[in-house]
Structure formats: C-alpha cells, structure tokens
C-alpha cells in the first residue's frame, strides 16, 4: 500500500512541475508568431509607390519591390498573391510572402496590432484596396506602413501599393 502512495505522490509532483511550466518561460514575451515590436525599426520616410504591371515578368528586378536584401515583393503573372522573390519562386497561399508578417492598421498603433500571414490578414487582397496595413520584415526587424491601391484580376499578376521608406 505504501508503494502505491509513493508512486502516486511522485506522479502528482511530476505532473504539477510540468503543468507549471509556461510556453514563454514565465516571461511576458510576445507569442512566437508575433514580432517583438520593441525591437523593430519603424520606417517613417517618404511614401514610395511600387507598381508591378499586369503581365510583367516577376523574375526581373524592375518588377520586384526590393525593400531589403531579404525581401523582394512581386506577384506572378498567373495571378494569386504576392510573394518574396528573394526566397520564393512562387506564392504559397498559406505562407507567402516568406519572411513577412502583416496586420491591419498603421505603425503609429503598432503596439496594439495582431500580426499574421498576408492571406491570414487580408483573406482576399482584391477586397482590401485602400486598407491601412503594416508589413514586418522579420529577419530585418523592420516595420513599414503599406496600402494596396491596385490589384489586377483575371490572372494578370499586376498590383500597386504604397509603402513607407527608411528615413
């Protein structure tokens, strides 16, 4: 009988110790899928308008918004969504553009935003023309304001957006 009690006591102690561990090590760090906004450099420089014309070759540098060495935003001629030509050859609906996170809102309110993938934030880009967005360049630790102002349909691959630049 004593052996059962000792076993039960050990089991309860192990269970309690494992249950008290938190995913973030007990700190107040943001969830792993959220950027630590206190570490981001926010670009507030002049607005740049980028246009990728319908039918333009997305592999050419002129048709990629080369924001940093790690993030080159473009869109394939077959339509779909934008992707990061620096690390992707085509868009993947669930994750593109790779190396970025998105939120509705502006960098002026960045502490209150919830970030997700591009499609997780917008669902259908064509329905979000003129919506204020924030794009985080994860590896570069940069946040910038973005507003899509044009989105071609019928598998044309064109889009226009405005974004903030480095000061």
């Amino acid at each position: 009988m004593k052996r059962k009690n000792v076993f039960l006591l050990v089991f309860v102690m192990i269970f309690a110790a494992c249950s008290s561990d938190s995913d973030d090590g007990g700190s107040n760090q943001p969830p792993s899928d959220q950027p630590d906004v206190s570490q981001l450099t926010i670009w507030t420089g002049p607005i740049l308008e980028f246009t990728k014309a319908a039918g333009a070759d997305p592999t050419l540098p002129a048709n990629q918004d080369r924001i940093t060495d790690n993030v080159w935003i473009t869109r394939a001629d077959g339509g779909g969504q934008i992707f990061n030509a620096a690390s992707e050859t085509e868009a993947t609906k669930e994750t593109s553009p790779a190396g970025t996170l998105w939120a509705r809102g502006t960098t002026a309110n960045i502490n209150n935003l919830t970030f997700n993938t591009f499609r997780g934030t917008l669902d259908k880009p064509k329905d979000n023309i003129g919506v204020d967005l924030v794009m985080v360049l994860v590896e570069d630790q940069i946040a910038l304001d973005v507003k899509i102002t044009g989105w071609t349909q019928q598998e044309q691959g064109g889009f226009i957006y405005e974004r903030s630049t480095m000061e």
Side-chain angles (χ1 to χ4, degrees):
M1 197 72 152
K2 286 185 179 182
R3 223 180 270 171
K4 281 186 179 179
N5 289 341
V6 170
F7 175 77
L8 183 59
L9 180 61
V10 169
F11 176 78
V12 168
M13 289 173 57
I14 291 171
F15 180 79
C18 291
S19 298
S20 67
D21 289 344
S22 64
D23 291 336
D24 64 3
S27 70
N28 289 327
Q29 295 297 317
S32 61
D33 59 341
Q34 295 296 301
D36 181 352
V37 296
S38 69
Q39 299 298 311
L40 297 175
T41 299
I42 298 176
W43 283 5
T44 58
I47 298 298
L48 174 138
E49 182 179 83
F50 175 79
T51 300
K52 194 251 177 209
D57 184 348
T59 65
L60 297 177
N63 301 318
Q64 302 167 350
D65 183 14
R66 293 191 169 198
I67 304 170
T68 67
D69 290 342
N70 299 312
V71 179
W72 307 345
I73 302 296
T74 193
R75 187 173 177 220
D77 293 338
Q81 72 183 45
I82 59 176
F83 65 96
N84 180 359
S87 60
E88 300 174 288
T89 57
E90 62 184 24
T92 302
K93 186 174 182 178
E94 294 78 24
T95 58
S96 292
T100 67
L101 290 171
W102 296 75
R104 291 176 177 272
T106 66
T107 56
N109 195 29
I110 198 164
N111 291 318
N112 298 314
L113 301 180
T114 300
F115 289 87
N116 201 337
T117 62
F118 180 71
R119 277 297 178 98
T121 299
L122 298 182
D123 189 33
K124 295 180 180 180
K126 68 180 178 138
D127 295 339
N128 288 276
I129 304 299
V131 173
D132 289 325
L133 302 167
V134 174
M135 174 173 41
V136 170
L137 314 181
V138 175
E139 188 174 344
D140 298 299
Q141 292 290 286
I142 295 168
L144 49 139
D145 290 303
V146 176
K147 187 178 293 187
I148 299 169
T149 58
W151 194 267
T152 63
Q153 296 180 52
Q154 283 81 40
E155 299 184 358
Q156 297 292 312
F159 73 102
I160 305 167
Y161 69 40
E162 300 171 346
R163 68 165 173 86
S164 55
T165 59
M166 181 171 42
E167 285 193 73

Short mmCIF file of all heavy atoms in Angstrom, two decimals, residues 90-130:
data_model
loop_
_atom_site.label_atom_id
_atom_site.label_comp_id
_atom_site.label_asym_id
_atom_site.label_seq_id
_atom_site.Cartn_x
_atom_site.Cartn_y
_atom_site.Cartn_z
N GLU A 90 7.59 31.25 -56.25
CA GLU A 90 6.16 31.41 -56.48
C GLU A 90 5.47 31.58 -55.14
O GLU A 90 6.05 31.31 -54.09
CB GLU A 90 5.57 30.22 -57.23
CG GLU A 90 5.69 28.92 -56.48
CD GLU A 90 5.19 27.73 -57.29
OE1 GLU A 90 5.18 27.78 -58.53
OE2 GLU A 90 4.80 26.72 -56.66
N ALA A 91 4.23 32.02 -55.18
CA ALA A 91 3.46 32.24 -53.96
C ALA A 91 2.92 30.94 -53.40
O ALA A 91 2.53 30.04 -54.14
CB ALA A 91 2.31 33.20 -54.24
N THR A 92 2.91 30.84 -52.09
CA THR A 92 2.25 29.78 -51.37
C THR A 92 1.18 30.46 -50.52
O THR A 92 1.52 31.29 -49.67
CB THR A 92 3.25 29.02 -50.46
OG1 THR A 92 4.29 28.50 -51.27
CG2 THR A 92 2.56 27.91 -49.70
N LYS A 93 -0.05 30.16 -50.77
CA LYS A 93 -1.17 30.88 -50.15
C LYS A 93 -1.04 30.97 -48.63
O LYS A 93 -1.31 32.02 -48.05
CB LYS A 93 -2.49 30.22 -50.54
CG LYS A 93 -3.70 30.99 -50.07
CD LYS A 93 -4.99 30.38 -50.60
CE LYS A 93 -6.19 31.17 -50.17
NZ LYS A 93 -7.43 30.64 -50.70
N GLU A 94 -0.61 29.93 -47.98
CA GLU A 94 -0.57 29.91 -46.52
C GLU A 94 0.58 30.70 -45.92
O GLU A 94 0.50 31.12 -44.77
CB GLU A 94 -0.49 28.46 -46.01
CG GLU A 94 -1.73 27.63 -46.29
CD GLU A 94 -1.78 27.13 -47.74
OE1 GLU A 94 -0.73 27.02 -48.40
OE2 GLU A 94 -2.90 26.87 -48.22
N THR A 95 1.67 30.91 -46.67
CA THR A 95 2.86 31.49 -46.04
C THR A 95 3.49 32.69 -46.76
O THR A 95 4.30 33.39 -46.17
CB THR A 95 3.95 30.42 -45.90
OG1 THR A 95 4.26 29.89 -47.19
CG2 THR A 95 3.50 29.29 -44.97
N SER A 96 3.15 32.91 -48.01
CA SER A 96 3.80 33.99 -48.77
C SER A 96 3.20 35.35 -48.39
O SER A 96 2.05 35.44 -48.01
CB SER A 96 3.61 33.77 -50.27
OG SER A 96 4.33 32.64 -50.68
N PRO A 97 3.99 36.37 -48.55
CA PRO A 97 5.42 36.38 -48.85
C PRO A 97 6.25 35.96 -47.64
O PRO A 97 6.04 36.43 -46.53
CB PRO A 97 5.71 37.82 -49.25
CG PRO A 97 4.56 38.64 -48.78
CD PRO A 97 3.42 37.72 -48.53
N ALA A 98 7.17 35.02 -47.90
CA ALA A 98 8.04 34.49 -46.85
C ALA A 98 8.82 35.62 -46.18
O ALA A 98 9.19 36.60 -46.83
CB ALA A 98 9.01 33.47 -47.44
N GLY A 99 9.04 35.47 -44.89
CA GLY A 99 9.84 36.45 -44.16
C GLY A 99 9.10 37.72 -43.80
O GLY A 99 9.73 38.71 -43.40
N THR A 100 7.77 37.71 -43.94
CA THR A 100 6.97 38.88 -43.59
C THR A 100 5.82 38.49 -42.68
O THR A 100 5.35 37.35 -42.71
CB THR A 100 6.40 39.59 -44.83
OG1 THR A 100 5.43 38.75 -45.46
CG2 THR A 100 7.48 39.98 -45.81
N LEU A 101 5.37 39.45 -41.90
CA LEU A 101 4.13 39.34 -41.13
C LEU A 101 3.32 40.58 -41.42
O LEU A 101 3.88 41.65 -41.69
CB LEU A 101 4.43 39.23 -39.64
CG LEU A 101 5.07 37.94 -39.17
CD1 LEU A 101 5.51 38.04 -37.72
CD2 LEU A 101 4.10 36.77 -39.34
N TRP A 102 2.00 40.48 -41.32
CA TRP A 102 1.10 41.56 -41.71
C TRP A 102 0.05 41.80 -40.64
O TRP A 102 -0.37 40.88 -39.94
CB TRP A 102 0.40 41.19 -43.02
CG TRP A 102 1.35 41.05 -44.17
CD1 TRP A 102 2.21 40.01 -44.41
CD2 TRP A 102 1.57 41.99 -45.21
NE1 TRP A 102 2.94 40.25 -45.55
CE2 TRP A 102 2.55 41.46 -46.06
CE3 TRP A 102 1.01 43.23 -45.52
CZ2 TRP A 102 3.00 42.13 -47.19
CZ3 TRP A 102 1.45 43.89 -46.66
CH2 TRP A 102 2.44 43.34 -47.48
N ALA A 103 -0.40 43.05 -40.58
CA ALA A 103 -1.51 43.42 -39.67
C ALA A 103 -2.29 44.56 -40.30
O ALA A 103 -1.75 45.35 -41.07
CB ALA A 103 -0.97 43.83 -38.31
N ARG A 104 -3.56 44.63 -39.95
CA ARG A 104 -4.38 45.78 -40.33
C ARG A 104 -4.07 46.90 -39.36
O ARG A 104 -4.05 46.68 -38.15
CB ARG A 104 -5.86 45.45 -40.25
CG ARG A 104 -6.31 44.47 -41.29
CD ARG A 104 -7.80 44.13 -41.07
NE ARG A 104 -8.26 43.24 -42.10
CZ ARG A 104 -8.75 43.65 -43.26
NH1 ARG A 104 -8.86 44.93 -43.53
NH2 ARG A 104 -9.13 42.77 -44.16
N GLY A 105 -3.86 48.11 -39.89
CA GLY A 105 -3.58 49.26 -39.03
C GLY A 105 -2.37 50.00 -39.55
O GLY A 105 -1.97 49.84 -40.71
N THR A 106 -1.79 50.82 -38.69
CA THR A 106 -0.60 51.60 -39.06
C THR A 106 0.48 51.42 -38.00
O THR A 106 0.20 51.00 -36.87
CB THR A 106 -0.93 53.10 -39.19
OG1 THR A 106 -1.29 53.61 -37.89
CG2 THR A 106 -2.07 53.34 -40.18
N THR A 107 1.70 51.78 -38.37
CA THR A 107 2.80 51.68 -37.41
C THR A 107 2.61 52.63 -36.23
O THR A 107 3.18 52.41 -35.18
CB THR A 107 4.16 51.96 -38.09
OG1 THR A 107 4.11 53.24 -38.73
CG2 THR A 107 4.51 50.87 -39.10
N ALA A 108 1.80 53.67 -36.40
CA ALA A 108 1.52 54.58 -35.28
C ALA A 108 0.82 53.86 -34.13
O ALA A 108 0.89 54.29 -32.98
CB ALA A 108 0.67 55.76 -35.76
N ASN A 109 0.18 52.73 -34.43
CA ASN A 109 -0.55 51.95 -33.43
C ASN A 109 0.00 50.53 -33.32
O ASN A 109 -0.72 49.61 -32.98
CB ASN A 109 -2.04 51.93 -33.82
CG ASN A 109 -2.92 51.48 -32.68
OD1 ASN A 109 -2.61 51.67 -31.51
ND2 ASN A 109 -4.04 50.87 -33.03
N ILE A 110 1.28 50.37 -33.61
CA ILE A 110 1.88 49.03 -33.74
C ILE A 110 1.77 48.18 -32.47
O ILE A 110 1.65 46.97 -32.54
CB ILE A 110 3.34 49.11 -34.23
CG1 ILE A 110 3.79 47.74 -34.77
CG2 ILE A 110 4.27 49.65 -33.14
CD1 ILE A 110 5.03 47.80 -35.61
N ASN A 111 1.78 48.82 -31.31
CA ASN A 111 1.71 48.05 -30.06
C ASN A 111 0.38 47.35 -29.86
O ASN A 111 0.27 46.44 -29.04
CB ASN A 111 1.98 48.96 -28.86
CG ASN A 111 3.42 49.41 -28.82
OD1 ASN A 111 4.32 48.62 -29.06
ND2 ASN A 111 3.63 50.68 -28.53
N ASN A 112 -0.64 47.73 -30.60
CA ASN A 112 -1.97 47.15 -30.45
C ASN A 112 -2.37 46.25 -31.61
O ASN A 112 -3.53 45.83 -31.68
CB ASN A 112 -3.01 48.27 -30.29
CG ASN A 112 -2.74 49.10 -29.06
OD1 ASN A 112 -2.50 48.57 -27.99
ND2 ASN A 112 -2.76 50.41 -29.22
N LEU A 113 -1.44 45.95 -32.50
CA LEU A 113 -1.77 45.15 -33.69
C LEU A 113 -1.51 43.67 -33.47
O LEU A 113 -0.61 43.29 -32.71
CB LEU A 113 -0.96 45.65 -34.89
CG LEU A 113 -1.15 47.12 -35.28
CD1 LEU A 113 -0.27 47.45 -36.48
CD2 LEU A 113 -2.60 47.43 -35.54
N THR A 114 -2.25 42.84 -34.16
CA THR A 114 -2.04 41.40 -34.17
C THR A 114 -1.57 41.02 -35.57
O THR A 114 -2.24 41.33 -36.55
CB THR A 114 -3.34 40.65 -33.83
OG1 THR A 114 -3.76 41.07 -32.53
CG2 THR A 114 -3.11 39.14 -33.82
N PHE A 115 -0.44 40.35 -35.64
CA PHE A 115 0.18 40.01 -36.93
C PHE A 115 -0.13 38.59 -37.34
O PHE A 115 -0.32 37.71 -36.51
CB PHE A 115 1.70 40.23 -36.84
CG PHE A 115 2.05 41.69 -36.77
CD1 PHE A 115 2.09 42.34 -35.55
CD2 PHE A 115 2.31 42.41 -37.91
CE1 PHE A 115 2.38 43.70 -35.47
CE2 PHE A 115 2.60 43.76 -37.86
CZ PHE A 115 2.63 44.41 -36.63
N ASN A 116 -0.14 38.41 -38.66
CA ASN A 116 -0.44 37.11 -39.25
C ASN A 116 0.24 37.07 -40.61
O ASN A 116 0.93 38.01 -41.00
CB ASN A 116 -1.96 36.98 -39.38
CG ASN A 116 -2.42 35.53 -39.50
OD1 ASN A 116 -1.68 34.65 -39.89
ND2 ASN A 116 -3.68 35.30 -39.17
N THR A 117 0.00 36.00 -41.36
CA THR A 117 0.48 35.95 -42.74
C THR A 117 -0.30 36.96 -43.58
O THR A 117 -1.32 37.50 -43.14
CB THR A 117 0.26 34.55 -43.33
OG1 THR A 117 -1.14 34.28 -43.35
CG2 THR A 117 1.02 33.48 -42.54
N PHE A 118 0.14 37.19 -44.80
CA PHE A 118 -0.54 38.10 -45.71
C PHE A 118 -2.00 37.69 -45.88
O PHE A 118 -2.93 38.47 -45.65
CB PHE A 118 0.20 38.11 -47.05
CG PHE A 118 -0.39 39.01 -48.10
CD1 PHE A 118 -0.29 40.38 -47.98
CD2 PHE A 118 -1.00 38.48 -49.21
CE1 PHE A 118 -0.82 41.22 -48.95
CE2 PHE A 118 -1.53 39.30 -50.20
CZ PHE A 118 -1.44 40.68 -50.07
N ARG A 119 -2.23 36.44 -46.28
CA ARG A 119 -3.60 35.96 -46.50
C ARG A 119 -4.37 35.81 -45.19
O ARG A 119 -5.59 35.96 -45.16
CB ARG A 119 -3.62 34.64 -47.26
CG ARG A 119 -3.50 34.81 -48.77
CD ARG A 119 -4.71 35.58 -49.32
NE ARG A 119 -4.61 35.79 -50.73
CZ ARG A 119 -5.21 35.05 -51.64
NH1 ARG A 119 -5.95 34.04 -51.31
NH2 ARG A 119 -5.05 35.35 -52.91
N GLY A 120 -3.68 35.50 -44.12
CA GLY A 120 -4.35 35.43 -42.82
C GLY A 120 -4.87 36.79 -42.38
O GLY A 120 -5.86 36.89 -41.66
N THR A 121 -4.21 37.83 -42.85
CA THR A 121 -4.62 39.20 -42.53
C THR A 121 -5.66 39.72 -43.51
O THR A 121 -6.63 40.36 -43.12
CB THR A 121 -3.39 40.13 -42.52
OG1 THR A 121 -2.47 39.67 -41.52
CG2 THR A 121 -3.78 41.57 -42.22
N LEU A 122 -5.47 39.45 -44.79
CA LEU A 122 -6.32 40.06 -45.82
C LEU A 122 -7.39 39.14 -46.40
O LEU A 122 -8.33 39.64 -47.01
CB LEU A 122 -5.46 40.54 -46.99
CG LEU A 122 -4.45 41.61 -46.68
CD1 LEU A 122 -3.72 42.01 -47.94
CD2 LEU A 122 -5.12 42.80 -46.06
N ASP A 123 -7.24 37.86 -46.33
CA ASP A 123 -8.11 36.89 -46.98
C ASP A 123 -8.07 37.11 -48.50
O ASP A 123 -7.34 36.42 -49.18
CB ASP A 123 -9.53 36.94 -46.44
CG ASP A 123 -10.38 35.79 -46.98
OD1 ASP A 123 -9.83 34.71 -47.20
OD2 ASP A 123 -11.59 36.01 -47.17
N LYS A 124 -8.79 38.08 -49.02
CA LYS A 124 -8.78 38.35 -50.46
C LYS A 124 -8.18 39.74 -50.69
O LYS A 124 -8.85 40.75 -50.42
CB LYS A 124 -10.19 38.28 -51.04
CG LYS A 124 -10.79 36.89 -50.96
CD LYS A 124 -12.17 36.87 -51.55
CE LYS A 124 -12.74 35.46 -51.44
NZ LYS A 124 -14.10 35.40 -52.00
N PRO A 125 -6.96 39.83 -51.19
CA PRO A 125 -6.33 41.13 -51.40
C PRO A 125 -7.17 42.09 -52.24
O PRO A 125 -7.22 43.29 -51.94
CB PRO A 125 -5.01 40.79 -52.09
CG PRO A 125 -4.72 39.38 -51.67
CD PRO A 125 -6.06 38.73 -51.54
N LYS A 126 -7.86 41.59 -53.25
CA LYS A 126 -8.66 42.46 -54.13
C LYS A 126 -9.77 43.18 -53.37
O LYS A 126 -10.24 44.22 -53.80
CB LYS A 126 -9.25 41.66 -55.29
CG LYS A 126 -10.31 40.66 -54.85
CD LYS A 126 -10.89 39.89 -56.01
CE LYS A 126 -11.90 38.89 -55.47
NZ LYS A 126 -13.08 38.79 -56.24
N ASP A 127 -10.16 42.64 -52.22
CA ASP A 127 -11.21 43.25 -51.40
C ASP A 127 -10.64 44.20 -50.35
O ASP A 127 -11.38 44.68 -49.49
CB ASP A 127 -12.04 42.17 -50.71
CG ASP A 127 -12.83 41.31 -51.69
OD1 ASP A 127 -13.06 41.77 -52.83
OD2 ASP A 127 -13.19 40.19 -51.31
N ASN A 128 -9.33 44.44 -50.40
CA ASN A 128 -8.68 45.26 -49.38
C ASN A 128 -7.94 46.45 -49.96
O ASN A 128 -6.96 46.92 -49.38
CB ASN A 128 -7.74 44.38 -48.55
CG ASN A 128 -8.50 43.45 -47.64
OD1 ASN A 128 -8.89 43.84 -46.55
ND2 ASN A 128 -8.77 42.24 -48.09
N ILE A 129 -8.39 46.94 -51.10
CA ILE A 129 -7.80 48.12 -51.70
C ILE A 129 -8.05 49.30 -50.77
O ILE A 129 -9.17 49.53 -50.30
CB ILE A 129 -8.44 48.41 -53.10
CG1 ILE A 129 -8.31 47.18 -54.01
CG2 ILE A 129 -7.83 49.66 -53.72
CD1 ILE A 129 -6.92 46.73 -54.31
N GLY A 130 -6.99 50.04 -50.47
CA GLY A 130 -7.10 51.23 -49.63
C GLY A 130 -7.05 50.98 -48.14
O GLY A 130 -7.15 51.92 -47.35
#
